[in-house]
Amino acid sequence: MTDRALSVVRAGALTSVQDEGRHGHAHLGVPRSGALDLPASRLANRLVGNAIGAAVLETTLNGCAVRPRCAVTVAVTGAPCAVTLDGRPVAWGAPVRVPPGAVVEVGAATHGVRSYLAFAGGITVEPVLGSRSTDLLSGLGPPLLSDGAALPLGSPAPAYPHVDEAPAPGVPRELVLRMCPGPRADWFTADATAVLAAGHYRVSSASNRIGLRTEGPALRRAVEGELPSEGMVWGAVQVPPDGRPVVFLADHPTTGGYPVIGVVPEPDLAAAAQAAPGTPLRFAPVGRP
Amino acid sequence: MSPLRTLPVGEHALLVELENGEAAGALHAELLRRRAAGTLPPVREIVPAARTVLLDGIADPRALAAQLTTWRIPPLEAGAQETVEISVRYDGPDLADVAGLWEVSEQEVVRIHSAAEFRVAFCGFAPGFAYLTGLGEEYSVPRRDTPRTSVPAGSVALAGPYTGVYPRPSPGGWQLIGSTDAALWDPHREPAALLTPGTRVRFVPRAAR
C-alpha cells in the first residue's frame, strides 16, 4: 500500500494537529497557535528525521490511536505514557518503525498533560496562513481529530534522525513560572507580586490551549476602571475581574481588555503546558523594572 | 509630537502607549513605513490596539524603546489612501434601539453612519474582526445587556465608540444595525482580512431586503 495517510482509530479527549504556529497575522486577530510544548514537538520531529516545524499530533491527557496505511517511522514525546504497536509495548521517546496497517497507540499520560506523536514526513493537511495548526480560539486550521478521520502524511526526508533517544521528563512537584513584571503591574496593589510569589495557587481544571487558569488568592487592583484593548503576548499573565491570574498559551486572543501584571518567559511555557490540574503553582518575579 | 510611553512586555516585546487612537494609528503607520524601508529591526508582530501598539518578537526591546522616543511621527492624513466601500442593508434588529440611544430617527442613524469616514483602528476578537473608529463621541453606545448566542456573519454592529462587522457567525453583544455580503475574511486572499489596521472605510446604504 503506497497511500501516505493515516486513519484515526481513537481520537482521544482533545487531539489536534500542531506545528510551529501561525506567525505574522496577529494584527488581523489571528492567534499564534502551534504546539504548546514546543521543545517536545521539535524533539519528536528530530527523532523521526523531520525538520522541527513539521506538523505532529498533540494529545491531551488520554492519548490517541492511529493506523498509518503506509510504513512510517513515528516517535512519541512530551508527557510520558505507554506506547504500543498493535498492542505490544514499544519505546517512548525513540523512533519506532510502524508497518502498514498497524495501530500505534499513545496511552494516557502517566504525568504531564500533552504527548506529541510525530510521523516521518509530517502530517500534510492544507496549511492556513502558513500553518497546519488547529487554533481552538478562532477555529482556523484542521478540525480536532475525530474517530475514523483520515490525515495525509508527507514523504520522509532522506535525512537520518538527529537524535535516537530522549530522556523522559521527571514529575514536577510544583510549577514555578518566572515572570517579568509589566506592562500593567502598576494596576495592582503593591502586595500583588508577593502574593504571586507566595505560591498559594493551583493549576485549574478550566485550563486549555488558550490559557492556564489558576485557583488561589485574588489579586487586588490599585487602578479601577476598564483598560482599553491592547495587544497580548504568549505568556502574558492577564488578570480578569475575579482576580485569578491566567497565563496565556498559544491560542490566546491577540488583544484583550484586562490588565497584564507580568509576562512568563518563553522557555517556561512548555512546563506550563504540561502542568496537570491541581499542580501547585507559584510565580517567581525576575529582573526588569 | 504627542507623548509616547513604552512599557515592558517580557523579554522580547514592547508595548507603546499613546494618548489616543489617532496617535496609535500614526505610530502604526510609521512602523509599517520603516519596516517597508528596512530601517526597523526585525519584528514578528506589530499589533495596534485602542491606544497602544504592541511590538512582539524583537531581539532588544530596550534598544528599540530608546530609539522610538527620538522618532518624528507624522500625523495620520485623511484621504491619503484608498477607501474600502462596504455595501450595507441597514436592517439590523437593534437599529431602533440605537436610534433611541442617539435620540434620532432610524433614517437619521443610517444617514449619520453612512456619512462618516471610518478607519480600522485595530483587529481582534476573531480573525478579520475590525474595530472601526470614525463616529463622534456622542454616538457611543453600550453593548447589549444580554449578548446574543449567535450573531450572523456580515452583521454591521456598534459598541462603545466602534463599528465592527462580524466576519463569521459568533456570539456577540454588539448592537446590530445592518448587514453586508462583503467577504470580510478569506484565508486564501492576501491579506486574508478585508479590513486591515489603517484601512479607510465607508458604509454605503442599499435597499433593505
Side-chain angles (χ1 to χ4, degrees):
Chain A
M1 206 182 207
T2 56
D3 191 8
R4 292 205 65 82
L6 64 81
S7 308
V8 177
V9 176
R10 179 178 68 84
L14 191 146
T15 303
S16 60
V17 176
Q18 298 294 338
D19 58 16
E20 300 270 306
R22 213 164 261 122
H23 298 284
H25 305 284
H27 63 292
L28 304 181
V30 176
R32 67 180 286 147
S33 197
L36 288 196
D37 184 345
L38 273 176
S41 67
R42 288 170 180 169
L43 177 60
N45 274 322
R46 285 199 192 95
L47 286 166
V48 298
N50 288 346
I52 58 169
V56 302
L57 294 180
E58 178 183 278
T59 66
T60 309
L61 292 170
N62 73 344
C64 71
V66 298
R67 187 197 304 273
R69 296 174 197 164
C70 53
V72 63
T73 300
V74 305
V76 179
T77 63
C81 58
V83 183
T84 61
L85 187 58
D86 276 340
R88 294 187 314 278
V90 292
W92 179 99
V96 174
R97 191 77 188 148
V98 178
V103 173
V104 183
E105 176 129 33
V106 177
T110 53
H111 59 267
V113 178
R114 296 170 171 101
S115 301
Y116 292 86
L117 173 57
F119 304 84
I123 295 168
T124 52
V125 294
E126 197 59 35
V128 177
L129 299 176
S131 169
R132 297 184 163 95
S133 292
T134 296
D135 168 0
L136 291 186
L137 182 73
S138 67
L140 297 181
L144 288 172
L145 258 61
S146 57
D147 293 351
L151 291 171
L153 295 173
S155 298
Y160 194 75
H162 294 99
V163 281
D164 59 10
E165 192 181 355
V171 187
R173 291 177 190 286
E174 182 190 31
L175 176 63
V176 182
L177 299 175
R178 289 173 297 157
M179 189 189 83
C180 307
R184 301 293 176 188
D186 59 351
W187 278 54
F188 298 89
T189 53
D191 65 343
T193 309
V195 171
L196 286 170
H200 299 298
Y201 288 95
R202 281 182 188 276
V203 175
S204 160
S205 59
S207 301
N208 54 25
R209 284 188 42 89
I210 297 164
L212 179 96
R213 292 177 181 276
T214 64
E215 289 161 0
L219 300 178
R220 287 181 303 138
R221 290 266 288 263
V223 177
E224 293 304 329
E226 262 189 73
L227 180 74
S229 282
E230 59 190 30
M232 293 285 144
V233 298
W234 193 32
V237 181
Q238 200 194 48
V239 184
D242 73 1
R244 270 90 193 175
V246 177
V247 182
F248 273 167
L249 301 180
D251 289 355
H252 71 83
T254 55
T255 59
Y258 300 128
V260 170
I261 190 169
V263 178
V264 175
E266 232 174 88
D268 292 17
L269 293 170
Q274 295 293 4
T279 304
L281 162 66
R282 68 185 163 90
F283 295 87
V286 290
R288 293 237 29 171
Chain B
M1 195 184 84
S2 63
L4 163 161
R5 190 160 82 107
T6 58
L7 302 165
V9 182
E11 295 173 336
H12 297 293
L14 186 67
L15 188 68
V16 189
E17 186 172 51
L18 299 111
E19 61 183 354
N20 55 40
E22 278 287 299
L27 172 64
H28 178 245
E30 179 68 13
L31 285 161
L32 296 190
R33 277 193 292 273
R34 287 180 185 244
R35 181 151 78 174
T39 59
L40 188 71
V43 181
R44 193 177 57 230
E45 309 281 0
I46 301 177
V47 188
R51 60 169 193 221
T52 57
V53 180
L54 173 73
L55 297 158
D56 191 12
I58 44 182
D60 189 345
R62 284 180 195 225
L64 186 57
Q67 217 190 89
L68 277 169
T69 57
T70 68
W71 288 7
R72 282 184 52 81
I73 302 165
L76 284 177
E77 274 177 67
Q81 60 178 111
E82 205 184 331
T83 299
V84 171
E85 294 198 340
I86 295 182
S87 174
V88 182
R89 291 176 301 271
Y90 283 96
D91 59 358
D94 303 329
L95 187 63
D97 287 358
V98 170
L101 289 161
W102 288 7
E103 299 177 344
V104 299
S105 67
E106 291 183 22
Q107 292 81 348
E108 188 64 2
V109 171
V110 175
R111 194 195 63 76
I112 293 167
H113 195 260
S114 58
E117 184 186 283
F118 291 89
R119 179 178 65 84
V120 178
F122 61 99
C123 294
F125 176 62
F129 187 98
Y131 291 74
L132 298 128
T133 52
L135 287 176
E137 235 171 72
E138 65 274 30
Y139 299 121
S140 271
V141 295
R143 285 176 164 75
R144 309 280 309 165
D145 288 337
T146 310
R148 291 185 169 85
T149 51
S150 183
V151 172
S155 294
V156 177
L158 307 181
Y162 300 111
T163 292
V165 188
Y166 285 78
R168 54 174 189 185
S170 70
W174 290 35
Q175 311 269 4
L176 312 184
I177 61 168
S179 55
T180 178
D181 298 327
L184 276 300
W185 178 256
D186 176 0
H188 301 295
R189 182 176 62 194
E190 175 54 38
L194 176 65
L195 306 179
T196 59
T199 303
R200 303 280 173 173
V201 180
R202 266 182 192 286
F203 294 96
V204 180
R206 56 179 280 197
R209 270 193 278 224

